[in-house]
Tab-separated table of all heavy atoms in Angstrom:
chain	number	residue	atom	x	y	z
P	24	SER	N	109.429	-32.685	-22.013
P	24	SER	CA	109.221	-33.873	-22.847
P	24	SER	C	109.641	-35.137	-22.118
P	24	SER	O	108.967	-36.159	-22.183
P	24	SER	CB	110.011	-33.736	-24.142
P	24	SER	OG	109.639	-32.573	-24.829
P	25	ALA	N	110.780	-35.067	-21.423
P	25	ALA	CA	111.259	-36.237	-20.698
P	25	ALA	C	110.263	-36.669	-19.629
P	25	ALA	O	110.006	-37.859	-19.431
P	25	ALA	CB	112.622	-35.935	-20.075
P	26	ALA	N	109.700	-35.677	-18.942
P	26	ALA	CA	108.708	-35.997	-17.913
P	26	ALA	C	107.485	-36.661	-18.537
P	26	ALA	O	106.935	-37.626	-18.008
P	26	ALA	CB	108.305	-34.728	-17.169
P	27	SER	N	107.051	-36.127	-19.691
P	27	SER	CA	105.897	-36.712	-20.360
P	27	SER	C	106.184	-38.126	-20.826
P	27	SER	O	105.345	-39.011	-20.716
P	27	SER	CB	105.509	-35.840	-21.572
P	27	SER	OG	105.200	-34.529	-21.155
P	28	LEU	N	107.402	-38.357	-21.334
P	28	LEU	CA	107.773	-39.684	-21.803
P	28	LEU	C	107.799	-40.676	-20.648
P	28	LEU	O	107.342	-41.817	-20.767
P	28	LEU	CB	109.139	-39.635	-22.486
P	28	LEU	CG	109.178	-38.959	-23.859
P	28	LEU	CD1	110.631	-38.885	-24.345
P	28	LEU	CD2	108.326	-39.717	-24.858
P	29	ALA	N	108.362	-40.235	-19.544
P	29	ALA	CA	108.443	-41.129	-18.387
P	29	ALA	C	107.054	-41.540	-17.927
P	29	ALA	O	106.802	-42.703	-17.606
P	29	ALA	CB	109.199	-40.427	-17.252
P	30	GLN	N	106.132	-40.568	-17.914
P	30	GLN	CA	104.767	-40.875	-17.492
P	30	GLN	C	104.096	-41.807	-18.500
P	30	GLN	O	103.401	-42.750	-18.137
P	30	GLN	CB	103.953	-39.578	-17.371
P	30	GLN	CG	102.538	-39.790	-16.846
P	30	GLN	CD	101.809	-38.474	-16.662
P	30	GLN	OE1	102.316	-37.419	-17.018
P	30	GLN	NE2	100.625	-38.537	-16.090
P	31	ALA	N	104.337	-41.558	-19.790
P	31	ALA	CA	103.709	-42.380	-20.823
P	31	ALA	C	104.212	-43.807	-20.774
P	31	ALA	O	103.433	-44.753	-20.975
P	31	ALA	CB	103.980	-41.770	-22.197
P	32	GLU	N	105.501	-43.983	-20.491
P	32	GLU	CA	106.077	-45.319	-20.509
P	32	GLU	C	105.572	-46.179	-19.367
P	32	GLU	O	105.680	-47.392	-19.402
P	32	GLU	CB	107.599	-45.215	-20.469
P	32	GLU	CG	108.177	-44.728	-21.802
P	32	GLU	CD	109.666	-44.477	-21.726
P	32	GLU	OE1	110.205	-44.531	-20.594
P	32	GLU	OE2	110.277	-44.212	-22.769
P	33	GLU	N	104.999	-45.545	-18.324
P	33	GLU	CA	104.440	-46.319	-17.225
P	33	GLU	C	103.162	-47.021	-17.647
P	33	GLU	O	102.784	-48.044	-17.098
P	33	GLU	CB	104.146	-45.384	-16.043
P	33	GLU	CG	105.414	-44.849	-15.379
P	33	GLU	CD	105.074	-43.904	-14.244
P	33	GLU	OE1	103.864	-43.687	-14.002
P	33	GLU	OE2	106.004	-43.392	-13.595
P	34	THR	N	102.471	-46.435	-18.652
P	34	THR	CA	101.167	-46.979	-19.013
P	34	THR	C	101.166	-47.697	-20.359
P	34	THR	O	100.351	-48.582	-20.580
P	34	THR	CB	100.136	-45.838	-19.057
P	34	THR	OG1	100.599	-44.837	-19.982
P	34	THR	CG2	99.979	-45.214	-17.676
P	35	THR	N	102.066	-47.266	-21.262
P	35	THR	CA	102.065	-47.884	-22.579
P	35	THR	C	103.482	-47.957	-23.118
P	35	THR	O	104.251	-47.018	-22.963
P	35	THR	CB	101.161	-47.093	-23.550
P	35	THR	OG1	101.223	-47.721	-24.830
P	35	THR	CG2	101.616	-45.645	-23.682
P	36	ALA	N	103.812	-49.058	-23.738
P	36	ALA	CA	105.150	-49.213	-24.301
P	36	ALA	C	105.185	-48.583	-25.690
P	36	ALA	O	104.212	-48.669	-26.443
P	36	ALA	CB	105.501	-50.701	-24.396
P	37	PRO	N	106.260	-47.946	-26.066
P	37	PRO	CA	106.357	-47.354	-27.407
P	37	PRO	C	106.399	-48.437	-28.467
P	37	PRO	O	106.823	-49.564	-28.227
P	37	PRO	CB	107.674	-46.570	-27.347
P	37	PRO	CG	108.486	-47.273	-26.295
P	37	PRO	CD	107.489	-47.748	-25.276
P	38	ASP	N	105.951	-48.050	-29.675
P	38	ASP	CA	105.968	-48.987	-30.788
P	38	ASP	C	107.394	-49.287	-31.223
P	38	ASP	O	107.670	-50.349	-31.773
P	38	ASP	CB	105.173	-48.428	-31.966
P	38	ASP	CG	103.692	-48.301	-31.642
P	38	ASP	OD1	103.217	-49.081	-30.785
P	38	ASP	OD2	103.030	-47.442	-32.244
P	39	TYR	N	108.307	-48.343	-31.001
P	39	TYR	CA	109.695	-48.547	-31.367
P	39	TYR	C	110.557	-47.733	-30.420
P	39	TYR	O	110.078	-46.876	-29.688
P	39	TYR	CB	109.948	-48.149	-32.827
P	39	TYR	CG	109.419	-46.782	-33.199
P	39	TYR	CD1	110.177	-45.638	-32.947
P	39	TYR	CD2	108.167	-46.635	-33.795
P	39	TYR	CE1	109.693	-44.380	-33.276
P	39	TYR	CE2	107.685	-45.387	-34.125
P	39	TYR	CZ	108.443	-44.257	-33.867
P	39	TYR	OH	107.966	-43.029	-34.182
P	40	THR	N	111.831	-47.978	-30.458
P	40	THR	CA	112.736	-47.328	-29.529
P	40	THR	C	113.224	-45.992	-30.088
P	40	THR	O	113.037	-45.684	-31.273
P	40	THR	CB	113.949	-48.228	-29.262
P	40	THR	OG1	114.716	-48.345	-30.469
P	40	THR	CG2	113.498	-49.609	-28.789
P	41	LEU	N	113.888	-45.230	-29.244
P	41	LEU	CA	114.480	-43.971	-29.677
P	41	LEU	C	115.532	-44.214	-30.754
P	41	LEU	O	115.648	-43.445	-31.712
P	41	LEU	CB	115.101	-43.249	-28.474
P	41	LEU	CG	115.803	-41.920	-28.779
P	41	LEU	CD1	114.835	-40.935	-29.421
P	41	LEU	CD2	116.411	-41.330	-27.507
P	42	LEU	N	116.268	-45.317	-30.612
P	42	LEU	CA	117.268	-45.649	-31.628
P	42	LEU	C	116.603	-45.899	-32.978
P	42	LEU	O	117.107	-45.483	-34.029
P	42	LEU	CB	118.070	-46.880	-31.194
P	42	LEU	CG	119.199	-47.314	-32.144
P	42	LEU	CD1	120.212	-46.183	-32.327
P	42	LEU	CD2	119.870	-48.570	-31.608
P	43	ASP	N	115.442	-46.573	-32.947
P	43	ASP	CA	114.699	-46.787	-34.191
P	43	ASP	C	114.268	-45.450	-34.803
P	43	ASP	O	114.303	-45.273	-36.028
P	43	ASP	CB	113.455	-47.643	-33.942
P	43	ASP	CG	113.800	-49.071	-33.573
P	43	ASP	OD1	114.866	-49.546	-34.026
P	43	ASP	OD2	113.027	-49.698	-32.831
P	44	ALA	N	113.843	-44.520	-33.957
P	44	ALA	CA	113.405	-43.206	-34.444
P	44	ALA	C	114.562	-42.459	-35.094
P	44	ALA	O	114.385	-41.776	-36.104
P	44	ALA	CB	112.829	-42.384	-33.291
P	45	ILE	N	115.752	-42.599	-34.512
P	45	ILE	CA	116.931	-41.947	-35.101
P	45	ILE	C	117.249	-42.567	-36.456
P	45	ILE	O	117.486	-41.861	-37.445
P	45	ILE	CB	118.135	-42.064	-34.149
P	45	ILE	CG1	117.871	-41.271	-32.862
P	45	ILE	CG2	119.397	-41.561	-34.836
P	45	ILE	CD1	118.919	-41.466	-31.796
P	46	LYS	N	117.228	-43.897	-36.516
P	46	LYS	CA	117.550	-44.578	-37.766
P	46	LYS	C	116.534	-44.266	-38.867
P	46	LYS	O	116.870	-44.197	-40.053
P	46	LYS	CB	117.598	-46.091	-37.542
P	46	LYS	CG	118.771	-46.564	-36.695
P	46	LYS	CD	118.713	-48.073	-36.508
P	46	LYS	CE	119.888	-48.587	-35.690
P	46	LYS	NZ	119.806	-50.055	-35.483
P	47	ALA	N	115.280	-44.089	-38.479
P	47	ALA	CA	114.207	-43.845	-39.457
P	47	ALA	C	114.086	-42.372	-39.822
P	47	ALA	O	113.179	-41.992	-40.573
P	47	ALA	CB	112.876	-44.353	-38.903
């Protein structure tokens, strides 16, 4: 998952942060 996230973040920014996901 970490590898996939790293690759994804190179091309597109997430709509919210991991901290937001935890809070929600």
Side-chain angles (χ1 to χ4, degrees):
S24 303
S27 301
L28 288 175
Q30 184 176 6
E32 287 174 352
E33 291 179 0
T34 57
T35 179
D38 294 333
Y39 50 84
T40 67
L41 178 59
L42 182 59
D43 292 331
I45 294 173
K46 291 179 179 179

